[in-house]
Amino acid sequence: MKLAQAKTDAAEARVNRSDLPTGGKWANEARLAALTRLHGAGLPGRRDEYWRFTRPDDLNRADAPAADLLKTGESPVFGDLDRLKLVFVDGVLDRDQSDAMAMQHVEIETLADAAAADIHWARDIYGVLETAGQAPVERPLAALNTALAENGLVIRVTGKAPRPINLQYLRRDQCADAVVHHVIKVESGAELTLLENGPGAARLSKVAEVDIADGGIFHHVRTQGRDHQRRAHTHIFARLGKESEFKSFTLTVNGALTRNEYVITLHGDDARAHVAGACTGDGATGAFHQDDTVFIAHDAVNCESRQVYKKVLRNGATGVFQGKILVQPGAQKTDGYQISQGLLLDDDSQFLAKPELEIYADDVACSHGSTVGAIDEGAMFYLMSRGVPKSRAQELLVLAFLAEALEEIDSETIRDDIRDRLAAWVERHSG
Amino acid sequence: MLNINNLHVELEDEDKAILKGLSLTVPAGEVHAIMGPNGSGKSTMSYVLSGKGGYEVTGGTATLDGVNLLDMEPDERAAAGLFLAFQYPVEIPGVGNMTFLRTAVNCQRKARGEEELSAADFLKIIREKAKSLKIDAEMLKRPVNVGFSGGEKKRNEILQMAMLEPKMCILDETDSGLDVDAMKLVSDGVNALRDGKRSFLVITHYQRLLDHIKPDVVHIMADGRIVKSGGPDLALEVEHNGYADILAEVAA
């Protein structure tokens, strides 16, 4: 009881520092309902099973811890692609740096504009998929986001989008505490690729609710910047219709704290959901804790899901993977696959994995695997015996280890770009 | 070229001596074969020379053109001109064969202060060499040795040797697991590299390989040292009579 009270008090403290944004009727209702969910659950605590491997303290505290701004001089990821670019600075849309919010088959507006309307289609998604994602495990920080978010985009895709949408998250203020919430609706047979890059804020809370109708396709690739001290907690809630497809890949390098959560429901028959991530962390350049927490529920027949996660950790870096496949009664012919692997380059780093399967149907194929290990000495010797110095050999083997996750990216151009950036990271952190 | 003198080696983890005073000299341009019963230390010798971990040298020396091999890292030994064709080539998922070879060639060139090969030049050279070993473009693209048949792995070893152009080649049971045609192909690849200066040390159990790669000298190794050396006829003798006679003769 005492604990529950403390958690609710913490939630109060977190909310009280900012007033709830006001909007039209539907938005006000959604925000109030989210606040109620938050108060009911309280903020996450270390004793919550779901937060066993990741301390939520820095996400709970009222003010964002400062994070130095990183200047790299590097060209931005996705910069060479033909895309519609929308720029957020510290979580706020910057129209001057952005392209016009218009593209064939796509309607884009800001969350503020959509929220101001008395009636809006987003009402059926905003906070709704998040609410559905509160079971079986409470996600109070997602409810907090729904209650507080003023910024974000509301996107409706009605056909095949001719270009990807690229959301760039830049930083300006060392202490910015950003709360961003996107709503994406992919109509029947429509298709969108969403690209996200950049650190976002000193502390970024980001929720995306993605509703994919029958036959819709949603592809997503994101990189989370290279700022060492930034903290980020993201949620993607996705609901998949019949024969629809959801694919998401995340690259995380650096960052003091990252937690990326997915809650995906395969709602219609013959749907496909693939999530993948590559992560590299080096404790020598700052604290590094990265957590991928994935929940995929099969609630229809003949659906396929894949989870492929690879983490390379060194100098006291920590990687976490919590992945669950839930197969509901009647979800026959489910094909579920999950692999998570940690490569530890020293004895100081750790990889914590909790793979779970929960199956209530009898005609399914589900497999999961989780491994943690060091560089293969045999492969190392083989490379060195051919004249490759140890540090270079290690780089090759690290990239080889990550390759399987990168293979999950459909676009060869994007895959190559991300591979090159990973190679550069690995080279910088070599030896 | 290669000079091994009174080499003593133990396994690092257990107090077990493997090489017990091995001495061997392979002059430039010559092909020497080493035969010997299982457990005589042939593979250990090849690993110790190329710098694999897990062994402790407790005495003796090994030099390549006068340079002490035993103090160097494996990559430095390779850059100095030593090459080991593995008995069991290692599979490396995720590393493309071509990337691997180009990295190796250029790392060695860099270590020797030579200019790195451009992608175009490298491609031209490797295509030509791969062709003579019947290695197709597909095999070059695949991850190193992954899904290769036994024969493909051994051909890939010879391709690496051809690309790296070492001074001293050690072939550790390169014939094991090869059918007659593959052995011919591999042997032709090795013979193509014989240029009167490059030296070879061929470890094998079978005289048959030595029909293709004709040795100048044959050594018999037993219990961690060379117990007898002779001409090519020595290999024939082993083939016909086994090791018992030779070992008995040495013991006597």
Side-chain angles (χ1 to χ4, degrees):
Chain A
M1 202 57 218
K2 219 170 157 187
L3 187 67
Q5 189 56 47
K7 288 170 77 174
T8 306
D9 291 347
E12 289 287 350
R14 183 83 157 77
V15 172
N16 279 343
R17 50 175 287 282
S18 50
D19 297 326
L20 279 197
T22 52
K25 187 164 174 286
W26 76 268
N28 286 342
E29 281 173 6
R31 283 162 174 158
L32 276 172
L35 204 58
T36 308
R37 283 196 293 285
L38 172 63
H39 282 154
L43 288 177
R46 269 223 103 181
R47 291 195 201 162
D48 294 343
E49 176 65 19
Y50 225 43
W51 290 87
R52 225 175 100 191
F53 302 133
T54 298
R55 291 188 76 100
D57 309 36
D58 284 344
L59 303 173
N60 287 346
R61 54 186 273 194
D63 293 304
D68 291 340
L69 302 169
L70 183 78
K71 294 257 182 301
T72 65
E74 225 172 61
S75 64
V77 190
F78 312 128
D80 296 334
L81 298 174
D82 179 23
R83 84 277 197 222
L84 182 95
K85 183 179 81 172
L86 300 170
V87 178
F88 286 79
V89 179
D90 291 333
V92 180
L93 181 69
D94 181 336
R95 287 185 188 260
D96 292 341
Q97 293 193 62
S98 300
D99 295 336
M101 292 206 297
M103 184 161 52
Q104 199 188 3
H105 304 310
V106 182
E107 297 161 11
I108 313 172
E109 57 191 313
T110 62
L111 176 64
D113 286 347
D118 273 336
I119 300 171
H120 198 282
W121 60 262
R123 189 188 70 172
D124 295 336
I125 300 173
Y126 189 86
V128 174
L129 300 194
E130 176 253 291
T131 303
Q134 296 290 344
V137 179
E138 284 171 333
R139 296 167 205 269
L141 287 165
L144 176 89
N145 178 297
T146 301
L148 296 186
E150 288 178 86
N151 293 290
L153 295 171
V154 174
I155 300 172
R156 192 165 84 100
V157 192
T158 54
K160 188 176 170 169
R163 291 182 290 159
I165 294 177
N166 177 198
L167 308 182
Q168 253 183 39
Y169 302 103
L170 308 181
R171 297 186 54 207
R172 189 179 293 146
D173 185 329
Q174 279 213 320
C175 301
D177 192 17
V179 182
V180 179
H181 195 123
H182 302 307
V183 174
I184 296 160
K185 186 175 189 182
V186 180
E187 299 283 10
S188 181
E191 194 173 330
L192 177 72
T193 296
L194 180 71
L195 309 171
E196 296 182 289
N197 63 294
R203 181 170 71 181
L204 174 68
S205 161
K206 186 154 63 74
V207 167
E209 291 176 282
V210 184
D211 192 17
I212 310 172
D214 296 351
I217 294 176
F218 178 77
H219 286 183
H220 176 231
V221 180
R222 67 174 157 179
T223 64
Q224 302 186 289
R226 272 172 47 198
D227 292 34
H228 293 288
Q229 293 141 354
R230 67 108 184 100
R231 287 154 176 90
H233 187 200
T234 75
H235 288 87
I236 294 181
F237 297 93
R239 178 168 65 189
L240 275 71
K242 205 170 71 183
E243 293 170 9
S244 67
E245 180 175 291
F246 172 97
K247 285 190 182 178
S248 179
F249 172 89
T250 304
L251 173 71
T252 313
V253 301
N254 307 343
L257 174 63
T258 310
R259 171 140 157 154
N260 296 320
E261 300 192 30
Y262 285 88
V263 182
I264 299 168
T265 307
L266 294 145
H267 211 68
D269 296 347
D270 305 302
R272 251 197 314 274
H274 294 186
V275 291
C279 140
T280 55
D282 184 350
T285 49
F288 181 87
H289 184 106
Q290 197 271 3
D291 174 338
D292 287 297
T293 289
V294 181
F295 178 79
I296 296 183
H298 285 256
D299 203 7
V301 174
N302 201 32
C303 291
E304 180 201 311
S305 71
R306 268 174 84 78
Q307 302 172 42
V308 180
Y309 283 89
K310 299 264 190 169
K311 299 176 202 286
V312 178
L313 306 158
R314 67 184 312 175
N315 295 318
T318 300
V320 176
F321 174 77
Q322 304 188 99
K324 181 164 180 172
I325 306 172
L326 169 67
V327 181
Q328 298 283 22
Q332 302 296 6
K333 307 284 180 197
T334 286
D335 180 2
Y337 174 74
Q338 180 197 92
I339 180 92
S340 63
Q341 296 183 303
L343 177 63
L344 307 182
L345 299 183
D346 51 53
D347 294 339
D348 301 327
S349 304
Q350 56 176 347
F351 174 57
L352 305 161
K354 192 175 152 197
E356 287 180 282
L357 288 177
E358 198 175 324
I359 302 175
Y360 297 102
D362 55 8
D363 184 15
V364 301
C366 282
S367 61
H368 65 146
S370 191
T371 66
V372 57
I375 289 275
D376 178 351
E377 287 298 325
M380 182 64 114
F381 174 61
Y382 191 68
L383 289 171
M384 288 182 76
S385 78
R386 297 314 185 231
V388 183
K390 190 168 189 174
S391 60
R392 185 82 186 91
Q394 179 163 309
E395 287 171 39
L396 277 176
L397 293 173
V398 164
L399 290 172
F401 170 80
L402 293 168
E404 192 187 345
L406 264 55
E407 286 302 318
E408 297 292 313
I409 304 172
D410 273 3
S411 155
E412 201 178 323
T413 317
I414 294 174
R415 191 165 63 228
D416 288 349
D417 187 14
I418 287 184
R419 182 180 293 125
D420 290 349
R421 284 166 201 273
L422 259 177
W425 188 96
V426 169
E427 204 181 329
R428 279 195 301 275
H429 294 259
S430 188
Chain B
M1 175 73 67
L2 179 67
N3 228 311
I4 305 172
N5 190 17
N6 196 26
L7 191 63
H8 286 77
V9 170
E10 291 178 6
L11 281 179
E12 224 169 49
D13 291 341
E14 35 192 315
D15 236 3
K16 192 181 170 195
I18 309 282
L19 299 185
K20 304 168 183 173
L22 175 73
S23 294
L24 177 70
T25 300
V26 184
E30 290 192 6
V31 175
H32 286 213
I34 294 193
M35 303 179 81
N38 293 326
S40 56
K42 304 185 296 295
S43 286
T44 296
M45 176 197 70
S46 70
Y47 287 144
V48 169
L49 290 177
S50 51
K52 191 178 183 185
Y55 301 99
E56 193 190 346
V57 177
T58 54
T61 58
T63 59
L64 184 66
D65 279 345
V67 180
N68 181 8
L69 282 174
L70 302 176
D71 279 350
M72 291 194 260
E73 290 295 320
D75 58 305
E76 295 169 331
R77 301 179 196 206
L82 184 73
F83 181 91
L84 168 65
F86 281 53
Q87 182 180 0
Y88 304 108
V90 180
E91 296 186 4
I92 313 182
V95 177
N97 211 7
M98 195 83 110
T99 309
F100 159 61
L101 268 166
R102 203 175 144 213
T103 306
V105 167
N106 280 336
C107 282
Q108 288 207 13
R109 293 179 80 103
K110 205 170 146 192
R112 290 194 293 259
E114 300 162 15
E115 201 162 315
E116 293 186 20
L117 274 184
S118 73
D121 287 346
F122 174 81
L123 210 60
K124 207 176 124 203
I125 297 170
I126 196 168
R127 278 205 184 122
E128 192 185 305
K129 301 204 173 190
K131 199 175 158 194
S132 61
L133 285 161
K134 297 207 169 117
I135 292 175
D136 58 19
E138 177 58 28
M139 237 175 99
L140 289 174
K141 260 193 252 165
R142 270 156 48 190
V144 180
N145 294 324
V146 177
F148 287 24
S149 71
E152 285 174 334
K153 282 182 181 167
K154 296 299 171 82
R155 275 187 276 147
N156 203 29
E157 293 291 290
I158 304 305
L159 174 66
Q160 291 168 38
M161 195 160 91
M163 288 304 296
L164 295 168
E165 301 182 318
K167 291 193 251 185
M168 176 76 228
C169 310
I170 303 172
L171 280 68
D172 189 3
E173 295 197 26
T174 293
D175 52 340
S176 70
L178 293 187
D179 61 32
V180 182
D181 294 336
M183 191 181 311
K184 175 94 175 38
L185 202 62
V186 163
S187 304
D188 288 349
V190 172
N191 287 331
L193 291 168
R194 294 183 68 169
D195 60 358
K197 283 178 279 182
R198 186 168 287 132
S199 308
F200 294 85
L201 188 56
V202 180
I203 299 170
T204 183
H205 276 295
Y206 304 104
Q207 140 70 21
R208 205 171 50 178
L209 178 68
L210 304 179
D211 285 339
H212 296 292
I213 306 173
K214 296 223 159 28
D216 298 295
V217 180
V218 173
H219 306 277
I220 305 299
M221 190 166 169
D223 196 25
R225 63 175 83 85
I226 303 296
V227 293
K228 188 173 184 179
S229 303
D233 292 349
L234 191 53
L236 284 170
E237 193 187 323
V238 169
E239 185 81 1
H240 291 132
N241 306 330
Y243 293 110
D245 289 359
I246 296 168
L247 296 183
E249 177 193 321
V250 172

